[in-house]
Amino acid sequence: MPAVSQAGLTAEEVRARVEAGASNKVRTSTSRSVKDIVRANVFTLFNGIILAAMLLVLATGSWRDAVFGFVIIINTGIGIVTELKAKRTLDRLSILVAADYLVHRDGHDVTVPHDGIVMDDLLWVRAGEQVPADAEIVASWGLETDESMLTGESRTVRKQPGDDVYSGSTAVSGLALARVTAVGAHSYAASLTAKAKVYTKTVSDLSRGINTILKFMTFLVVPLCVLLILSQIRTVGGWDAALATGAWRQAVVSAVAGVVGMIPEGLVLLTSLNFAVAAMRLARHETLVQELESVETLARVDCLNLDKTGTITDGGIAFDRVVIVDDAADGDPHTADAGMRRRVEQALYDLADEEQPNGTGRAVLAGLGAHGYGPGAVEERTPFSSARKWSAITYGGATGAGERRANGETWYLGAPEVLLSAIEGDHTALLDQVGEYAGDGARVLLIARAPRGDGETELAPDPSARPVALVLCSENIRSDAASTLAWFREQGVRCRVISGDNPTTVGAIARKVRLAGDRELNCVDARDLPDDVNALGRMLEDVDVVGRVLPDQKKLIVDALHARGYTVAMTGDGVNDALALKEADLGIAMGNAAPATKAVAQVVLVDSKFSHLPDVVARGRQVMANMERVAGLFLVKTVYSALISLGVVLTGMPYPYLPRHITYIGALTIGMPAFILALAPNTRRYVPGFLTRVVRFALPGGVATALSVLACAWCLPGIMGWDITGSAADLAALRATEAIILFVMGVFVLARVARPLNGWRGALVAVFASAGVIGMFIPFVARFFALIVPTGAMVAPTLVALAGASAIFAVCLFLVPWVTRTFVERHLRRRPERPARH
């Protein structure tokens, strides 16, 4: 860092400010707090309903029928433990990507964490960092900031001593020493600086679908529960008889059986568990998910915008050589001598020798430094900016070697296309030469020189400047880039490279990693892109590589792809990528990215390995595809429980099974299989319409199960001569038979969900089906869950009932979808057309 006269705060002054609460500590977290996790898993609407139902059943003395409540407690405990484990994993991993800052205290530069900054600290604001607190510039070495996150303006702002910088803005180039004027919650946009660390709830297709199901069940459960209690009281002779004989207890237990069945209690739990487990699995691969629910977004990605540097290449750049332009010395005696190359290389060294040089600058410094070059006498400097794509230095009248430069001179280094477009003259031949080098995959920069003028060099290059030399650098391509891109092609994800470099150079690298497979690449220059979002979107359909992209253009490209209906993921590591990452559906930052870039990303590849991206996307697809399976399984139970309850209310019969039956059957055909299926491998690409598909799946199975149970309840007592309202034994026999039917139908639905049944999926269905049957022959299990194995005269009616249920299931699989489609089509035909607007 440059030498400064100010000593900064002393250790005692820092300690006093910390004790007074004048530190930059803000509430940040990669996940929910322990309190939030416990509250979210315990205090839910359905847990409240389940608890009330369990207390009602316990009040009747039938504690076996209250076992469902203990299952909910266990499941909730599992959810809490899993999320706490995920929280510890994410918090530990987030330390690896946390940003530290440099402050000047007691005359020394010391590194402190974000929370360690205090009021009146002297803070070094360095390129690539997000400003952590409000401050006033004390001294500036070409600092430029991007305040787009605060103002929406993507144009960089040059800062001078006395200017204010605000938390949430980003240092794009240069360096400054600033005095902190506001910290913590008092700083401007403090919430923006901590945004990436705050747990946020992402509302999307999955969460919207599940919320819709839960809202519907909320309105359905309460009135049906009241109606069930009233109907069950009537079956035992009314309130007077129920209270006098104690039959009210059985009426309450029967009503609770219907209520418990309608609640998809495991659906919400399993969703949060799935997100947490996915985040933990990704964490094992050095991938930090900063928002758990953004895992869902991973499944929907069908367009991936890649930043070349740090993604396809590893960010490592090697300086190759300087190529002197043929006519560099024409008409200029000062460059006609034998020392001309050394002067050019000295100027190149000084151009790269910024306070915070980028990768190219560091490579140049290392390469030229090995040949004995060192800092020269630079009077003025315009640091490199990704928005300008050039930098400049100005020398005085004397060089470091004692030579004279009349009135001094200004040297420029930047993108050849940008500098040559601002310089007078025809440079077609030079551009062709640049294209040849770039076509071989080299990174090409141009050095130009002009006599020192009176104007400010930071505004625009001097039109009278002359090209002097080309600088050639090479980039290291990641060894895993080609295989990773091949995986995305196979999965139907369209990849594009969006880079600030020469499109020819980027295209050459893209060809080496087979970005487009066997297809010929289409590369364009961002200066030729239209400004209209719709026109840009149409153009991008056939584009693979976009070069010379400005930061605001990266954001515009994301907007254009959104307009075309794509779900966009964006990778990046530089400050110039922050706007696009924030706008994308899924921002993915490299672990070595600038703090500002990591702050707006939902996912951080901690070890900066591009090869982790397939696992990131695959994990998201697994969560979504499996949650669709599992949601259908839970919703089938909700559908048939609601229909059976409605049938019971309308016909006034005793409820056909007990709460303990639904606990036993639900655990074996829904709960435990759902947990296994939710964690199974699945790479199916997600398609919008989660709720519609789940409902379409659940209706046939739910209707078939309800019809089978109700038909048995209406017909079997007459066939067997049972008095189910007057005889407890006859009612128990009916309920035991209904439990068998319910279990078999549950196995049918499970088999449908688990398809294809080859391999482990078929074994899964067989194991749980066998477990249900075996449990009926274990005396303790049979007594506890009121299960009866059919014997004697019961065998034939039970087999007939099962055969009828199987037939109903087969018919409903065909008939219910057909009725649904017919109803929808008829409704659409009958709906009057809206009059046209004039």
Side-chain angles (χ1 to χ4, degrees):
M1 294 294 109
V4 293
S5 58
Q6 298 93 331
L9 299 177
T10 64
E12 184 60 34
E13 289 172 331
V14 171
R15 188 161 45 249
R17 282 164 172 76
V18 171
E19 292 174 354
S23 69
N24 205 39
K25 190 172 183 179
V26 292
R27 184 179 181 274
T28 60
S29 175
T30 58
S31 57
R32 289 184 286 187
S33 66
V34 174
K35 181 180 178 181
D36 290 337
I37 289 173
V38 172
R39 182 168 57 240
N41 282 274
V42 174
F43 299 105
T44 66
L45 171 64
F46 288 140
N47 276 2
I49 295 175
I50 289 290
L51 178 62
M54 184 180 72
L55 294 176
L56 278 175
V57 174
L58 288 175
T60 68
S62 181
W63 65 272
R64 288 185 178 89
D65 286 306
V67 71
F68 64 84
F70 296 102
V71 172
I72 297 301
I73 293 172
I74 293 171
N75 287 342
T76 302
I78 293 173
I80 292 173
V81 170
T82 305
E83 283 210 51
L84 287 177
K85 186 176 180 181
K87 172 181 171 57
R88 287 195 298 270
T89 302
L90 298 180
D91 287 349
R92 185 167 56 250
L93 194 60
S94 69
I95 294 174
L96 299 177
V97 298
D100 289 330
Y101 296 89
L102 195 66
V103 296
H104 193 69
R105 293 175 180 170
D106 274 331
H108 302 286
D109 294 330
V110 293
T111 300
V112 298
H114 178 280
D115 294 353
I117 299 170
V118 299
M119 188 73 170
D120 297 323
D121 246 333
L122 289 178
L123 172 71
W124 286 106
V125 181
R126 300 175 291 181
E129 290 184 339
Q130 191 173 47
V131 180
D134 295 356
E136 180 183 346
I137 300 297
V138 175
S140 176
W141 291 266
L143 177 69
E144 292 186 35
T145 61
D146 178 2
E147 299 179 350
S148 59
M149 294 183 188
L150 304 177
T151 66
E153 288 286 339
S154 59
R155 185 175 59 85
T156 58
V157 180
R158 184 86 165 190
K159 294 294 183 179
Q160 302 293 341
D163 291 345
D164 292 326
V165 289
Y166 298 100
S167 63
S169 59
T170 302
V172 175
S173 62
L175 175 74
L177 184 66
R179 188 179 304 279
V180 175
T181 57
V183 292
H186 300 289
S187 65
Y188 185 72
S191 60
L192 291 178
T193 64
K195 183 175 182 179
K197 304 299 183 214
V198 175
Y199 181 91
T200 57
K201 196 79 170 176
T202 303
V203 180
S204 51
D205 206 20
L206 174 61
S207 52
R208 276 195 301 269
I210 292 177
N211 287 339
T212 301
I213 294 172
L214 299 183
K215 288 177 182 178
F216 176 77
M217 292 312 305
T218 302
F219 290 108
L220 185 65
V221 165
V222 176
L224 262 182
C225 181
V226 174
L227 292 174
L228 274 175
I229 293 176
L230 294 176
S231 69
Q232 297 307 293
I233 289 294
R234 284 199 299 271
T235 62
V236 296
W239 285 101
D240 293 337
L243 294 174
T245 62
W248 65 272
R249 294 182 176 86
Q250 190 58 48
V252 169
V253 170
S254 298
V256 167
V259 173
V260 170
M262 284 185 284
I263 298 174
E265 70 282 345
L267 184 56
V268 178
L269 170 67
L270 207 54
T271 302
S272 60
L273 277 177
N274 228 338
F275 286 144
V277 170
M280 283 191 291
R281 285 180 172 178
L282 290 172
R284 295 191 192 107
H285 295 281
E286 300 297 311
T287 302
L288 172 63
V289 179
Q290 301 200 116
E291 295 177 9
L292 283 184
E293 307 230 353
S294 66
V295 170
E296 176 188 340
T297 310
L298 304 176
R300 299 184 282 116
V301 168
D302 54 10
C303 177
L304 176 61
N305 290 348
L306 300 167
D307 182 44
K308 173 181 64 66
T309 306
T311 303
I312 295 179
T313 62
D314 61 10
I317 299 174
F319 169 67
D320 288 340
R321 65 189 189 277
V322 171
V323 178
I324 304 299
V325 176
D326 291 340
D327 60 348
D330 286 354
D332 189 345
H334 294 286
T335 57
D337 56 44
M340 182 252 189
R341 172 175 291 276
R342 181 167 182 82
R343 293 183 60 191
V344 171
E345 292 179 347
Q346 177 63 55
L348 175 60
Y349 186 97
D350 291 332
L351 283 160
D353 190 23
E354 299 184 356
E355 293 295 341
Q356 294 290 319
N358 56 23
T360 304
R362 290 192 296 270
V364 169
L365 292 175
L368 293 178
H371 290 83
Y373 287 93
V378 176
E379 281 195 359
E380 297 178 10
R381 177 183 298 276
T382 300
F384 178 81
S385 164
S386 58
R388 275 193 310 267
K389 298 193 179 302
W390 57 268
S391 60
I393 58 172
T394 298
Y395 291 111
T399 68
E403 299 174 352
R404 297 298 299 175
R405 302 176 191 250
N407 298 321
E409 55 190 11
T410 299
W411 292 72
Y412 300 92
L413 175 67
E417 297 88 347
V418 175
L419 286 179
L420 291 177
S421 65
I423 295 176
E424 298 171 348
D426 182 9
H427 306 290
T428 304
L430 184 56
L431 285 172
D432 291 340
Q433 188 178 357
V434 169
E436 291 177 5
Y437 288 126
D440 294 331
R443 171 178 286 194
V444 186
L445 299 174
L446 174 70
I447 300 176
R449 186 187 66 82
R452 179 175 183 175
D454 297 328
E456 295 185 5
T457 60
E458 67 188 59
L459 299 179
D462 189 333
S464 65
R466 298 177 62 84
V468 175
L470 297 177
V471 182
L472 305 185
C473 297
S474 59
E475 296 186 72
N476 299 322
I477 298 176
R478 293 184 182 275
S479 59
D480 53 13
S483 59
T484 303
L485 290 170
W487 184 90
F488 279 114
R489 286 198 306 274
E490 294 169 0
Q491 296 300 315
V493 178
R494 177 67 185 277
C495 296
R496 293 179 180 84
V497 178
I498 312 296
S499 175
D501 290 337
N502 186 314
T504 306
T505 303
V506 182
I509 293 175
R511 289 185 186 90
K512 291 180 180 179
V513 296
R514 292 175 53 80
L515 174 70
D518 297 327
R519 181 171 51 81
E520 179 60 29
L521 281 177
N522 183 14
C523 308
V524 300
D525 191 307
R527 292 172 297 180
D528 299 327
L529 296 178
D531 293 330
D532 178 71
V533 170
N534 295 323
L536 177 59
R538 290 191 296 271
M539 180 178 179
L540 288 174
E541 291 288 351
D542 299 320
V543 171
D544 302 295
V545 172
V546 185
R548 297 298 182 211
V549 183
L550 299 176
D552 56 333
Q553 283 182 308
K554 290 188 177 184
K555 177 180 178 296
L556 184 63
I557 289 172
V558 173
D559 290 336
L561 292 171
H562 280 159
R564 301 290 290 178
Y566 289 101
T567 300
V568 183
M570 176 84 193
T571 70
D573 63 348
V575 179
N576 59 319
D577 300 317
L579 282 174
L581 261 66
K582 185 179 181 182
E583 189 67 21
D585 298 285
L586 185 71
I588 304 171
M590 299 297 165
N592 58 1
T597 307
K598 289 184 286 192
V600 298
Q602 288 90 5
V603 175
V604 179
L605 304 181
V606 178
D607 57 3
S608 301
K609 289 187 177 179
F610 178 45
S611 57
H612 291 326
L613 279 183
D615 194 54
V616 170
V617 175
R619 195 65 62 197
R621 290 185 173 182
Q622 173 191 345
V623 169
M624 286 300 294
N626 287 339
M627 280 310 302
E628 190 169 312
R629 287 178 181 267
V630 169
L633 198 58
F634 279 101
L635 200 57
V636 166
K637 181 170 76 80
T638 299
V639 170
Y640 73 66
S641 296
L643 292 176
I644 291 171
S645 299
L646 186 61
V648 166
V649 169
L650 294 177
T651 58
M653 67 178 185
Y655 207 85
Y657 50 82
L658 296 170
R660 70 186 83 170
H661 290 148
I662 199 66
T663 299
Y664 180 79
I665 295 164
L668 292 174
T669 62
I670 298 176
M672 290 185 283
F675 185 80
I676 296 172
L677 289 172
L679 301 178
N682 198 326
T683 58
R684 180 175 66 85
R685 178 177 168 184
Y686 178 71
V687 179
F690 165 82
L691 182 60
T692 301
R693 289 193 299 275
V694 168
V695 171
R696 285 177 179 171
F697 173 88
L699 280 178
V703 171
T705 303
L707 288 177
S708 301
V709 170
L710 290 173
C712 181
W714 293 331
C715 301
L716 194 59
I719 296 173
M720 299 300 297
W722 290 338
D723 179 12
I724 59 175
T725 58
S727 171
D730 289 348
L731 180 59
L734 173 65
R735 285 174 169 169
T737 305
E738 295 281 32
I740 294 173
I741 295 173
L742 199 62
F743 175 74
V744 171
M745 298 298 281
V747 171
F748 287 167
V749 173
L750 176 59
R752 189 167 171 239
V753 168
R755 291 178 303 176
L757 297 178
N758 54 340
W760 69 269
R761 295 180 185 275
L764 173 77
V765 176
V767 165
F768 283 106
S770 302
V773 174
I774 292 171
M776 297 177 65
F777 291 93
I778 300 174
F780 169 75
V781 175
R783 286 195 304 271
F784 190 91
F785 290 104
L787 305 174
I788 300 175
V789 179
T791 57
M794 280 293 300
V795 175
T798 302
L799 291 177
V800 171
L802 289 176
S806 301
I808 291 173
F809 188 81
V811 170
C812 285
L813 285 183
F814 167 75
L815 196 59
V816 172
W818 179 79
V819 171
T820 304
R821 286 196 303 270
T822 303
F823 173 79
V824 171
E825 290 173 0
R826 185 175 300 172
H827 175 73
L828 291 176
R829 285 197 300 268
R830 288 181 176 179
R831 189 169 60 183
E833 295 183 2
R834 294 181 180 179
R837 293 184 178 180
H838 299 284

